[in-house]
Amino acid sequence: MAYDYDLFVIGAGSGGVRASRIAAGYGARVGICEDYRVGGTCVIRGCVPKKLLVYGSKFAHEFEDAAAYGWTVHQPSHSWATLRDNVNKEVDRLNGVYLRLLDGAGVKLHMGRGRLMDRHTIEIGSQTITAEKILVATGGAPVVPEIRGREFAITSNEAFHLPELPKRITIVGGGYIAVEFAGIFRGFGSDVVEIIRREELLNGFDDDLRVALAQEMRGRGIEIHARTQVARIEKAPREGYSVFTTIGQEISADLVMYATGRAPNTKGLGLDAVGVKTNERGAVSVDEWQRSSIPNIYAIGDVTDQLNLTPVAISEGRAIAETLYNNNPTKMDHENVPTAVFSQPPIGTVGLSEEQARRQYGDDVDIYCARFKPMKNTLSGRDERTFMKLVVDGKTDRVLGCHMIGVDAPEIIQGLAIAVKCGASKRIFDQTVGLHPSAAEEFVTMREKFVRPQKQAAE
């Protein structure tokens, strides 16, 4: 049968765009569809605009610290509208870049939401398109639980377009997005309350990092309510909202933001009708080749709910293009993928946490830690501290994990991720000469094993 395309991609985010461009470069006839804007969550309303907001919010502390270094800084003021508009201009620019990349690669863009009609047929509005192979790359979407008053809450999607900065904001959730926006709004001067269900922030990260981040956030004036759940949200009589918790607390806010997770964006794609298996969260189930239960239909990125990071989706997309159209069978390796949280201070991490390592290796795990005040803070007087941690296999001496919270943590961990991926030993770390004076040198100067107090170890 003659198909319209060799490969058709549903979803023009970072992963889908990369897969389509690489496949087209190898000679495949490729089409792609998108129902919002080309670039996906990361570029349009995720990582990129969010990090620009992080940059903007950090200037408040820079102005404060400058005095200790001899600068005379007049009382600064900030225009949320100026920053918001500048950020959205940059998003527009990047959207244009992605459009040109697709066009330059010869990928045909169809605007609209794709829906599978059968294993080789996609419906986009009034169009019907056929393809030999189909790639689902529709990402994820924010989830707001079914509570009374949920219509009064925003998500990260709307946070980039606020008409004005809230004086008081309540953020529900303790993951990446929640802690990042808590830092952003606090940096701009908002009073921030963060509500989390668990004891600590960032479930799944190393416990020492989680505790350290909460301490630093509280030190910046962010109020964290742990082991707390929201019962309902009500519109206040005059202005703003009241957030009521299940234990009877009432928290007043000008804005309520939910950041309680994202779900695979598979609703309305027609996956069930053609036999594509999904799990209880709606994520497409795939094998190690990113292939679904239907042999010609593949899926990458957040829609598979495996490791929800933009570079992972990009790598998965490239692997599919290499496998299908370059006679180069390639699997995505999901082990030892570095990640960052652009909280304030930021986190960088790669490999196993201490808890994961102990589950896998038992008592044969060695821990090395360093906690110190960064050199910059010795003059500024700021009490913020950096924390670093190495997790090591006690039998083989292999470094299993590197974790850091502090200035430049993501930049430092990116370099260390190479060492971890190569299987470097603690001995190699020790033999590496430190770059002085820097925070990063602490990773190669930690010599004493950390022994956790018995009470903490039991807990």
Side-chain angles (χ1 to χ4, degrees), residues 170-174 178 193-196 230 243 256-260:
T170 295
I171 299 175
V172 185
V193 174
E194 186 166 358
I195 296 175
I196 61 175
V230 175
V243 178
V256 181
M257 177 177 171
Y258 257 82
T260 49

Side-chain angles (χ1 to χ4, degrees), residues 126-148:
S126 59
Q127 281 185 301
T128 301
I129 292 167
T130 60
E132 181 183 10
K133 292 181 171 60
I134 295 170
L135 173 61
V136 179
T138 48
V143 174
V144 179
E146 295 291 338
I147 62 164
R148 223 171 82 202

